[in-house]
């Protein structure tokens, strides 16, 4: 095993919530490759198929079935596993679902996050907590310039509002308890854009909907073709979370803040552009506009400003939106057209390719050798 991320994850005891989800499964894979001892705490995978099962992660980490709303159970797990770091991804992540189930959304996202921090500050082994929220925590004024970490929090839909509330809770715990009772625990929040990549099978998400339609040779239905989002490959924010974790362990006071992980592109990228480029890479397909004035409210324009993260944290994104789609479509083509492929290994290869590209760009966080599978 080499010294990727300066070897800080090798042997590190990491508790990851939401590890059965899309981002959680990718992060579990990366942590395994880095030599971490990974414990996952989550409900069952939310879809069939799902990346967690596809990569056989249940047999590669310590997998614990649990609900973060159950404080007593989660607190017991934290005390039993004695993690060095907790990375919190578990959430109700869908805007449209939050309209249908607002109470559940607030309970999972707000109370669940408070439960995670409360259990963490009670456990002497925990040195750092990375709380993953969303780009949608900002009061959206449909402005062209990207939102900064100092901008006003808010949310129209229950999902966005719940995540803004979580950010307020994180700041309160950081100010009130991070240095209390002779503790020096680092608490940071990470706000990332619309994450896409292979292995996402969720409902009402653009790229999974594109792939499903292309597989069926049906037109892709696009409900908001002109909407703009900060599109990112899943490995972009995950590399940021790992780098942030490293920085928190080295200097808890300087990096216990909120951080935007924004894409590399400075120009707006619409849903229509994402759909048309995906069809081009796939090699066939079409799309139709299904937008409706009667549809539930969703943001039309959302962009993040990543200057603080680039200047103070030393992290920058690597993939353009075109490269992001190429890697994403390649994953799905491999999964559907080459069923004999070991998808855990394929994910590891995509991580290596991403790291190699990052190194070529002289990114501070990636100026290291390529990763290799633990024990190889």
């Amino acid at each position: 095993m080499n010294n990727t991320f300066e070897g800080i994850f090798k042997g590190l005891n990491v508790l990851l919530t939401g590890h059965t989800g899309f981002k959680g499964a990718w992060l579990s894979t990366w942590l395994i490759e880095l030599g971490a001892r990974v414990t996952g705490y989550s409900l069952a995978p939310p879809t069939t198929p799902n990346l967690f099962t596809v990569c056989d992660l249940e047999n590669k980490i310590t997998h614990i079935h649990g609900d973060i709303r159950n404080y007593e159970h989660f607190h017991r797990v934290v005390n039993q596993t004695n993690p060095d770091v907790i990375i919190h991804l578990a959430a109700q992540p869908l805007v449209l679902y939050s309209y249908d189930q607002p109470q559940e959304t607030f309970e999972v996202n707000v109370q669940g996050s408070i439960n995670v921090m409360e259990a963490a500050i009670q456990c002497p082994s925990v040195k750092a907590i990375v709380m993953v929220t969303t780009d949608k925590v900002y009061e959206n004024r449909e402005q062209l310039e990207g939102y900064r970490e100092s901008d006003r929090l808010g949310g129209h839909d229950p999902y966005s509002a719940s995540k803004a509330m979580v950010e307020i809770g994180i700041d309160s715990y950081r100010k009130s308890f991070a240095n209390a009772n002779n503790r020096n625990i680092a608490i940071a929040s990470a706000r990332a854009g619309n994450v896409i990549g292979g292995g996402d099978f969720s409902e009402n998400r653009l790229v999974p909907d594109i792939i499903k339609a292309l597989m069926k040779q049906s037109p892709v239905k696009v409900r908001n073709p002109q909407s703009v989002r900060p599109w990112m490959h899943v490995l972009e924010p995950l590399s940021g979370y790992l780098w942030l974790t490293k920085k928190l362990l080295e200097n808890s006071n300087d990096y216990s803040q909120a951080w935007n992980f924004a894409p590399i592109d400075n120009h707006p990228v619409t849903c229509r552009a994402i759909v048309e480029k995906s069809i081009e890479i796939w090699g066939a397909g079409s799309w139709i506009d299904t937008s409706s004035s009667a549809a539930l409210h969703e943001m039309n324009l959302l962009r993040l400003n990543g200057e603080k993260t680039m200047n103070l944290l030393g992290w920058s994104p690597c993939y353009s939106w075109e490269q992001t789609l190429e890697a994403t479509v390649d994953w799905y083509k491999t999964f559907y057209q080459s069923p004999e492929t070991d998808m855990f290994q394929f994910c590891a290869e995509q991580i290596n390719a991403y790291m190699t590209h990052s190194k070529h760009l002289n990114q501070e966080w990636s100026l290291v050798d390529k990763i290799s599978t633990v024990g190889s």
Side-chain angles (χ1 to χ4, degrees), residues 289-340:
D289 184 349
T290 61
S291 55
S292 168
S293 59
L296 294 169
H297 176 272
E298 294 185 86
M299 300 175 185
N300 289 316
L301 177 63
L302 179 59
R303 301 178 71 188
L304 286 182
N305 183 301
E307 291 178 1
K308 173 187 170 184
T309 302
M310 286 186 273
N311 294 332
L312 300 183
L313 192 64
W315 178 89
S316 299
C318 304
Y319 278 173
S320 66
W321 69 276
E322 294 95 341
Q323 290 170 314
T324 291
L325 287 175
E326 287 169 0
T328 300
V329 173
D330 186 38
W331 192 99
Y332 285 108
K333 276 192 169 184
T334 301
F335 175 71
Y336 284 113
Q337 298 176 3
S338 302
E340 75 284 355

Short mmCIF file of all heavy atoms in Angstrom, two decimals, residues 289-340:
data_model
loop_
_atom_site.label_atom_id
_atom_site.label_comp_id
_atom_site.label_asym_id
_atom_site.label_seq_id
_atom_site.Cartn_x
_atom_site.Cartn_y
_atom_site.Cartn_z
N ASP A 289 -39.27 16.81 -23.82
CA ASP A 289 -39.49 17.78 -22.75
C ASP A 289 -40.83 17.48 -22.08
O ASP A 289 -41.88 17.53 -22.72
CB ASP A 289 -39.47 19.19 -23.34
CG ASP A 289 -39.59 20.28 -22.28
OD1 ASP A 289 -39.90 19.96 -21.11
OD2 ASP A 289 -39.38 21.45 -22.62
N THR A 290 -40.78 17.16 -20.77
CA THR A 290 -42.01 16.87 -20.03
C THR A 290 -42.29 17.91 -18.96
O THR A 290 -43.01 17.65 -17.99
CB THR A 290 -41.94 15.47 -19.38
OG1 THR A 290 -40.84 15.44 -18.45
CG2 THR A 290 -41.76 14.38 -20.44
N SER A 291 -41.69 19.09 -19.09
CA SER A 291 -41.90 20.14 -18.10
C SER A 291 -43.36 20.55 -18.04
O SER A 291 -44.09 20.50 -19.05
CB SER A 291 -41.02 21.35 -18.42
OG SER A 291 -41.25 21.80 -19.74
N SER A 292 -43.79 20.95 -16.85
CA SER A 292 -45.19 21.30 -16.63
C SER A 292 -45.29 22.42 -15.60
O SER A 292 -44.57 22.42 -14.59
CB SER A 292 -45.98 20.09 -16.14
OG SER A 292 -47.25 20.45 -15.67
N SER A 293 -46.16 23.35 -15.83
CA SER A 293 -46.37 24.45 -14.89
C SER A 293 -47.00 23.96 -13.59
O SER A 293 -46.96 24.65 -12.57
CB SER A 293 -47.26 25.53 -15.52
OG SER A 293 -48.52 24.97 -15.88
N ALA A 294 -47.57 22.76 -13.61
CA ALA A 294 -48.21 22.21 -12.41
C ALA A 294 -47.25 21.38 -11.56
O ALA A 294 -47.63 20.87 -10.51
CB ALA A 294 -49.40 21.34 -12.82
N ALA A 295 -46.00 21.26 -12.00
CA ALA A 295 -45.03 20.43 -11.28
C ALA A 295 -44.63 21.08 -9.96
O ALA A 295 -44.73 22.30 -9.78
CB ALA A 295 -43.79 20.21 -12.14
N LEU A 296 -44.18 20.26 -9.03
CA LEU A 296 -43.70 20.75 -7.75
C LEU A 296 -42.47 21.63 -7.96
O LEU A 296 -41.69 21.42 -8.89
CB LEU A 296 -43.35 19.58 -6.82
CG LEU A 296 -44.54 18.73 -6.37
CD1 LEU A 296 -44.03 17.46 -5.69
CD2 LEU A 296 -45.45 19.51 -5.45
N HIS A 297 -42.28 22.61 -7.06
CA HIS A 297 -41.19 23.58 -7.20
C HIS A 297 -39.82 22.92 -7.06
O HIS A 297 -39.57 22.19 -6.12
CB HIS A 297 -41.31 24.67 -6.14
CG HIS A 297 -40.19 25.66 -6.16
ND1 HIS A 297 -39.02 25.47 -5.46
CD2 HIS A 297 -40.05 26.84 -6.82
CE1 HIS A 297 -38.21 26.49 -5.66
NE2 HIS A 297 -38.80 27.33 -6.48
N GLU A 298 -38.96 23.17 -8.05
CA GLU A 298 -37.55 22.81 -7.97
C GLU A 298 -36.74 24.00 -8.45
O GLU A 298 -37.18 24.78 -9.30
CB GLU A 298 -37.24 21.58 -8.84
CG GLU A 298 -37.90 20.30 -8.37
CD GLU A 298 -37.46 19.11 -9.20
OE1 GLU A 298 -36.41 18.51 -8.90
OE2 GLU A 298 -38.18 18.77 -10.16
N MET A 299 -35.52 24.15 -7.91
CA MET A 299 -34.67 25.26 -8.30
C MET A 299 -34.34 25.19 -9.79
O MET A 299 -34.08 24.12 -10.32
CB MET A 299 -33.36 25.24 -7.50
CG MET A 299 -33.54 25.34 -6.00
SD MET A 299 -31.95 25.15 -5.15
CE MET A 299 -32.47 25.15 -3.44
N ASN A 300 -34.35 26.36 -10.45
CA ASN A 300 -33.96 26.41 -11.85
C ASN A 300 -32.47 26.67 -12.03
O ASN A 300 -31.85 26.16 -12.95
CB ASN A 300 -34.77 27.50 -12.58
CG ASN A 300 -36.22 27.13 -12.76
OD1 ASN A 300 -36.52 26.00 -13.12
ND2 ASN A 300 -37.12 28.05 -12.49
N LEU A 301 -31.90 27.48 -11.15
CA LEU A 301 -30.49 27.85 -11.28
C LEU A 301 -29.80 27.69 -9.94
O LEU A 301 -30.25 28.26 -8.93
CB LEU A 301 -30.37 29.31 -11.75
CG LEU A 301 -28.96 29.89 -11.86
CD1 LEU A 301 -28.15 29.12 -12.90
CD2 LEU A 301 -29.01 31.37 -12.22
N LEU A 302 -28.76 26.90 -9.90
CA LEU A 302 -28.00 26.69 -8.66
C LEU A 302 -26.54 26.47 -9.00
O LEU A 302 -26.19 25.55 -9.74
CB LEU A 302 -28.55 25.48 -7.90
CG LEU A 302 -27.83 25.13 -6.58
CD1 LEU A 302 -27.89 26.31 -5.62
CD2 LEU A 302 -28.45 23.90 -5.95
N ARG A 303 -25.68 27.34 -8.46
CA ARG A 303 -24.25 27.23 -8.69
C ARG A 303 -23.51 27.48 -7.39
O ARG A 303 -23.97 28.24 -6.52
CB ARG A 303 -23.78 28.23 -9.75
CG ARG A 303 -24.48 28.06 -11.10
CD ARG A 303 -24.05 29.10 -12.10
NE ARG A 303 -22.68 28.87 -12.54
CZ ARG A 303 -22.00 29.73 -13.31
NH1 ARG A 303 -22.57 30.85 -13.70
NH2 ARG A 303 -20.77 29.44 -13.69
N LEU A 304 -22.37 26.83 -7.22
CA LEU A 304 -21.54 26.97 -6.03
C LEU A 304 -20.26 27.72 -6.35
O LEU A 304 -19.71 27.58 -7.44
CB LEU A 304 -21.18 25.60 -5.45
CG LEU A 304 -22.25 24.81 -4.72
CD1 LEU A 304 -21.65 23.51 -4.20
CD2 LEU A 304 -22.86 25.60 -3.59
N ASN A 305 -19.76 28.46 -5.37
CA ASN A 305 -18.45 29.09 -5.47
C ASN A 305 -17.48 28.27 -4.62
O ASN A 305 -17.67 28.11 -3.42
CB ASN A 305 -18.52 30.54 -4.96
CG ASN A 305 -17.20 31.27 -5.10
OD1 ASN A 305 -16.19 30.85 -4.53
ND2 ASN A 305 -17.20 32.36 -5.83
N GLY A 306 -16.43 27.75 -5.26
CA GLY A 306 -15.48 26.89 -4.56
C GLY A 306 -14.16 27.54 -4.23
O GLY A 306 -13.18 26.85 -3.91
N GLU A 307 -14.10 28.90 -4.26
CA GLU A 307 -12.82 29.59 -4.06
C GLU A 307 -12.23 29.34 -2.68
O GLU A 307 -11.02 29.14 -2.54
CB GLU A 307 -12.99 31.09 -4.30
CG GLU A 307 -13.27 31.46 -5.74
CD GLU A 307 -13.48 32.95 -5.93
OE1 GLU A 307 -13.39 33.69 -4.91
OE2 GLU A 307 -13.74 33.38 -7.07
N LYS A 308 -13.06 29.34 -1.67
CA LYS A 308 -12.56 29.13 -0.31
C LYS A 308 -11.91 27.75 -0.19
O LYS A 308 -10.81 27.61 0.36
CB LYS A 308 -13.70 29.26 0.71
CG LYS A 308 -13.30 28.88 2.13
CD LYS A 308 -14.50 28.88 3.06
CE LYS A 308 -14.16 28.26 4.40
NZ LYS A 308 -15.32 28.15 5.30
N THR A 309 -12.57 26.74 -0.72
CA THR A 309 -12.05 25.38 -0.65
C THR A 309 -10.74 25.26 -1.42
O THR A 309 -9.79 24.61 -0.96
CB THR A 309 -13.09 24.39 -1.20
OG1 THR A 309 -14.29 24.52 -0.43
CG2 THR A 309 -12.59 22.95 -1.09
N MET A 310 -10.67 25.90 -2.58
CA MET A 310 -9.44 25.85 -3.37
C MET A 310 -8.30 26.59 -2.68
O MET A 310 -7.16 26.10 -2.62
CB MET A 310 -9.69 26.42 -4.77
CG MET A 310 -10.50 25.49 -5.66
SD MET A 310 -10.64 26.08 -7.37
CE MET A 310 -12.08 27.13 -7.24
N ASN A 311 -8.59 27.76 -2.14
CA ASN A 311 -7.53 28.60 -1.57
C ASN A 311 -7.09 28.19 -0.18
O ASN A 311 -5.90 28.26 0.15
CB ASN A 311 -7.99 30.06 -1.54
CG ASN A 311 -8.20 30.64 -2.92
OD1 ASN A 311 -7.56 30.21 -3.88
ND2 ASN A 311 -9.09 31.61 -3.04
N LEU A 312 -8.02 27.78 0.67
CA LEU A 312 -7.69 27.48 2.06
C LEU A 312 -7.54 26.00 2.36
O LEU A 312 -6.76 25.62 3.23
CB LEU A 312 -8.76 28.08 2.98
CG LEU A 312 -8.94 29.60 2.91
CD1 LEU A 312 -9.98 30.07 3.93
CD2 LEU A 312 -7.61 30.33 3.15
N LEU A 313 -8.30 25.17 1.65
CA LEU A 313 -8.21 23.73 1.89
C LEU A 313 -7.21 23.07 0.95
O LEU A 313 -6.67 22.01 1.25
CB LEU A 313 -9.59 23.09 1.73
CG LEU A 313 -9.76 21.65 2.21
CD1 LEU A 313 -9.55 21.54 3.72
CD2 LEU A 313 -11.14 21.12 1.83
N GLY A 314 -6.97 23.69 -0.19
CA GLY A 314 -6.03 23.12 -1.16
C GLY A 314 -6.63 22.01 -2.00
O GLY A 314 -5.92 21.14 -2.49
N TRP A 315 -7.96 22.07 -2.19
CA TRP A 315 -8.62 21.06 -3.01
C TRP A 315 -9.27 21.72 -4.22
O TRP A 315 -9.89 22.79 -4.10
CB TRP A 315 -9.72 20.34 -2.22
CG TRP A 315 -10.45 19.31 -3.05
CD1 TRP A 315 -10.12 18.00 -3.22
CD2 TRP A 315 -11.62 19.54 -3.85
NE1 TRP A 315 -11.01 17.39 -4.08
CE2 TRP A 315 -11.94 18.32 -4.49
CE3 TRP A 315 -12.42 20.66 -4.11
CZ2 TRP A 315 -13.03 18.17 -5.34
CZ3 TRP A 315 -13.50 20.53 -4.98
CH2 TRP A 315 -13.80 19.29 -5.57
N SER A 316 -9.11 21.09 -5.37
CA SER A 316 -9.75 21.57 -6.60
C SER A 316 -10.32 20.37 -7.35
O SER A 316 -9.78 19.26 -7.27
CB SER A 316 -8.75 22.29 -7.49
OG SER A 316 -8.21 23.43 -6.86
N PRO A 317 -11.39 20.58 -8.11
CA PRO A 317 -11.95 19.50 -8.93
C PRO A 317 -11.07 19.21 -10.13
O PRO A 317 -10.17 20.01 -10.47
CB PRO A 317 -13.31 20.05 -9.35
CG PRO A 317 -13.11 21.54 -9.37
CD PRO A 317 -12.15 21.83 -8.25
N CYS A 318 -11.31 18.10 -10.79
CA CYS A 318 -10.44 17.65 -11.88
C CYS A 318 -11.17 17.39 -13.18
O CYS A 318 -10.60 17.62 -14.26
CB CYS A 318 -9.73 16.36 -11.46
SG CYS A 318 -8.81 16.49 -9.95
N TYR A 319 -12.39 16.89 -13.11
CA TYR A 319 -13.10 16.48 -14.32
C TYR A 319 -14.01 17.60 -14.84
O TYR A 319 -14.74 18.23 -14.06
CB TYR A 319 -13.97 15.26 -14.03
CG TYR A 319 -13.26 13.93 -14.07
CD1 TYR A 319 -13.92 12.75 -13.70
CD2 TYR A 319 -11.94 13.81 -14.48
CE1 TYR A 319 -13.29 11.52 -13.74
CE2 TYR A 319 -11.30 12.58 -14.52
CZ TYR A 319 -11.97 11.44 -14.15
OH TYR A 319 -11.34 10.23 -14.18
N SER A 320 -13.99 17.80 -16.15
CA SER A 320 -15.01 18.63 -16.78
C SER A 320 -16.33 17.85 -16.78
O SER A 320 -16.35 16.64 -16.53
CB SER A 320 -14.61 18.96 -18.21
OG SER A 320 -14.61 17.78 -19.00
N TRP A 321 -17.41 18.52 -17.10
CA TRP A 321 -18.69 17.81 -17.12
C TRP A 321 -18.72 16.77 -18.23
O TRP A 321 -19.36 15.72 -18.08
CB TRP A 321 -19.86 18.79 -17.22
CG TRP A 321 -20.00 19.52 -18.52
CD1 TRP A 321 -19.36 20.67 -18.89
CD2 TRP A 321 -20.84 19.17 -19.62
NE1 TRP A 321 -19.74 21.05 -20.15
CE2 TRP A 321 -20.66 20.15 -20.63
CE3 TRP A 321 -21.74 18.13 -19.86
CZ2 TRP A 321 -21.33 20.11 -21.85
CZ3 TRP A 321 -22.40 18.09 -21.08
CH2 TRP A 321 -22.20 19.07 -22.05
N GLU A 322 -17.99 17.01 -19.32
CA GLU A 322 -17.91 16.02 -20.37
C GLU A 322 -17.16 14.77 -19.90
O GLU A 322 -17.58 13.63 -20.17
CB GLU A 322 -17.24 16.59 -21.61
CG GLU A 322 -18.01 17.72 -22.29
CD GLU A 322 -17.57 19.09 -21.84
OE1 GLU A 322 -16.93 19.20 -20.76
OE2 GLU A 322 -17.85 20.07 -22.55
N GLN A 323 -16.03 14.97 -19.22
CA GLN A 323 -15.28 13.83 -18.68
C GLN A 323 -16.11 13.07 -17.65
O GLN A 323 -16.04 11.83 -17.57
CB GLN A 323 -13.97 14.32 -18.05
CG GLN A 323 -12.96 14.83 -19.06
CD GLN A 323 -11.79 15.52 -18.38
OE1 GLN A 323 -11.96 16.34 -17.48
NE2 GLN A 323 -10.57 15.19 -18.80
N THR A 324 -16.87 13.81 -16.87
CA THR A 324 -17.75 13.19 -15.88
C THR A 324 -18.75 12.25 -16.55
O THR A 324 -18.96 11.11 -16.11
CB THR A 324 -18.51 14.29 -15.10
OG1 THR A 324 -17.58 15.00 -14.27
CG2 THR A 324 -19.62 13.71 -14.24
N LEU A 325 -19.36 12.70 -17.61
CA LEU A 325 -20.34 11.87 -18.31
C LEU A 325 -19.69 10.70 -19.01
O LEU A 325 -20.26 9.60 -19.05
CB LEU A 325 -21.13 12.72 -19.31
CG LEU A 325 -22.15 13.68 -18.69
CD1 LEU A 325 -22.79 14.54 -19.76
CD2 LEU A 325 -23.22 12.92 -17.92
N GLU A 326 -18.49 10.88 -19.54
CA GLU A 326 -17.80 9.77 -20.18
C GLU A 326 -17.53 8.65 -19.19
O GLU A 326 -17.76 7.46 -19.48
CB GLU A 326 -16.50 10.26 -20.81
CG GLU A 326 -16.72 11.11 -22.07
CD GLU A 326 -15.46 11.81 -22.53
OE1 GLU A 326 -14.41 11.63 -21.87
OE2 GLU A 326 -15.52 12.54 -23.54
N ALA A 327 -17.04 9.00 -17.99
CA ALA A 327 -16.78 7.99 -16.97
C ALA A 327 -18.07 7.34 -16.49
O ALA A 327 -18.13 6.13 -16.23
CB ALA A 327 -16.03 8.62 -15.79
N THR A 328 -19.12 8.14 -16.38
CA THR A 328 -20.41 7.63 -15.90
C THR A 328 -21.03 6.66 -16.88
O THR A 328 -21.44 5.54 -16.52
CB THR A 328 -21.37 8.81 -15.64
OG1 THR A 328 -20.80 9.67 -14.65
CG2 THR A 328 -22.73 8.31 -15.17
N VAL A 329 -21.12 7.05 -18.13
CA VAL A 329 -21.72 6.19 -19.15
C VAL A 329 -20.89 4.92 -19.33
O VAL A 329 -21.44 3.82 -19.51
CB VAL A 329 -21.87 6.95 -20.48
CG1 VAL A 329 -22.33 6.01 -21.60
CG2 VAL A 329 -22.87 8.10 -20.32
N ASP A 330 -19.56 5.05 -19.23
CA ASP A 330 -18.69 3.87 -19.33
C ASP A 330 -19.01 2.86 -18.24
O ASP A 330 -19.03 1.65 -18.47
CB ASP A 330 -17.23 4.32 -19.25
CG ASP A 330 -16.26 3.17 -19.50
OD1 ASP A 330 -16.55 2.32 -20.36
OD2 ASP A 330 -15.20 3.13 -18.83
N TRP A 331 -19.29 3.36 -17.03
CA TRP A 331 -19.63 2.45 -15.92
C TRP A 331 -20.91 1.67 -16.24
O TRP A 331 -20.95 0.44 -16.10
CB TRP A 331 -19.81 3.24 -14.62
CG TRP A 331 -19.86 2.38 -13.39
CD1 TRP A 331 -18.85 2.12 -12.52
CD2 TRP A 331 -21.00 1.63 -12.91
NE1 TRP A 331 -19.28 1.26 -11.52
CE2 TRP A 331 -20.59 0.94 -11.74
CE3 TRP A 331 -22.31 1.48 -13.35
CZ2 TRP A 331 -21.45 0.12 -11.01
CZ3 TRP A 331 -23.17 0.65 -12.63
CH2 TRP A 331 -22.74 -0.01 -11.47
N TYR A 332 -21.94 2.39 -16.66
CA TYR A 332 -23.22 1.72 -16.94
C TYR A 332 -23.11 0.77 -18.12
O TYR A 332 -23.70 -0.32 -18.12
CB TYR A 332 -24.31 2.76 -17.19
CG TYR A 332 -24.79 3.44 -15.94
CD1 TYR A 332 -24.46 4.77 -15.68
CD2 TYR A 332 -25.56 2.77 -14.99
CE1 TYR A 332 -24.89 5.41 -14.53
CE2 TYR A 332 -26.00 3.40 -13.84
CZ TYR A 332 -25.66 4.72 -13.61
OH TYR A 332 -26.08 5.35 -12.46
N LYS A 333 -22.38 1.15 -19.16
CA LYS A 333 -22.20 0.25 -20.29
C LYS A 333 -21.51 -1.04 -19.85
O LYS A 333 -21.90 -2.14 -20.26
CB LYS A 333 -21.36 0.94 -21.38
CG LYS A 333 -22.17 1.83 -22.31
CD LYS A 333 -21.32 2.25 -23.51
CE LYS A 333 -22.18 2.91 -24.56
NZ LYS A 333 -21.40 3.25 -25.78
N THR A 334 -20.49 -0.90 -19.01
CA THR A 334 -19.79 -2.08 -18.51
C THR A 334 -20.72 -2.95 -17.68
O THR A 334 -20.76 -4.18 -17.83
CB THR A 334 -18.56 -1.66 -17.68
OG1 THR A 334 -17.68 -0.88 -18.49
CG2 THR A 334 -17.82 -2.88 -17.14
N PHE A 335 -21.48 -2.33 -16.80
CA PHE A 335 -22.38 -3.07 -15.91
C PHE A 335 -23.43 -3.84 -16.69
O PHE A 335 -23.69 -5.03 -16.42
CB PHE A 335 -23.05 -2.11 -14.93
CG PHE A 335 -24.08 -2.75 -14.03
CD1 PHE A 335 -23.70 -3.60 -13.01
CD2 PHE A 335 -25.43 -2.51 -14.23
CE1 PHE A 335 -24.65 -4.21 -12.19
CE2 PHE A 335 -26.39 -3.10 -13.42
CZ PHE A 335 -25.99 -3.96 -12.40
N TYR A 336 -24.04 -3.19 -17.66
CA TYR A 336 -25.15 -3.82 -18.38
C TYR A 336 -24.69 -4.73 -19.52
O TYR A 336 -25.34 -5.73 -19.83
CB TYR A 336 -26.09 -2.75 -18.93
CG TYR A 336 -26.98 -2.14 -17.88
CD1 TYR A 336 -26.84 -0.81 -17.51
CD2 TYR A 336 -27.97 -2.90 -17.25
CE1 TYR A 336 -27.67 -0.23 -16.55
CE2 TYR A 336 -28.79 -2.33 -16.28
CZ TYR A 336 -28.64 -1.00 -15.94
OH TYR A 336 -29.45 -0.44 -14.97
N GLN A 337 -23.58 -4.40 -20.16
CA GLN A 337 -23.16 -5.13 -21.35
C GLN A 337 -22.07 -6.17 -21.08
O GLN A 337 -21.82 -7.02 -21.93
CB GLN A 337 -22.70 -4.14 -22.42
CG GLN A 337 -23.81 -3.20 -22.87
CD GLN A 337 -23.34 -2.14 -23.86
OE1 GLN A 337 -22.19 -2.14 -24.29
NE2 GLN A 337 -24.24 -1.23 -24.22
N SER A 338 -21.42 -6.08 -19.91
CA SER A 338 -20.37 -7.06 -19.57
C SER A 338 -20.62 -7.59 -18.17
O SER A 338 -19.92 -7.24 -17.21
CB SER A 338 -18.98 -6.41 -19.65
OG SER A 338 -18.74 -5.88 -20.94
N PRO A 339 -21.66 -8.43 -17.98
CA PRO A 339 -22.07 -8.87 -16.64
C PRO A 339 -21.02 -9.68 -15.90
O PRO A 339 -21.14 -9.86 -14.68
CB PRO A 339 -23.33 -9.71 -16.92
CG PRO A 339 -23.21 -10.11 -18.36
CD PRO A 339 -22.51 -8.99 -19.05
N GLU A 340 -20.01 -10.16 -16.59
CA GLU A 340 -18.96 -10.94 -15.91
C GLU A 340 -17.95 -10.03 -15.20
O GLU A 340 -17.10 -10.52 -14.44
CB GLU A 340 -18.23 -11.81 -16.94
CG GLU A 340 -17.27 -11.08 -17.86
CD GLU A 340 -17.95 -10.28 -18.97
OE1 GLU A 340 -19.20 -10.38 -19.08
OE2 GLU A 340 -17.24 -9.58 -19.72
#
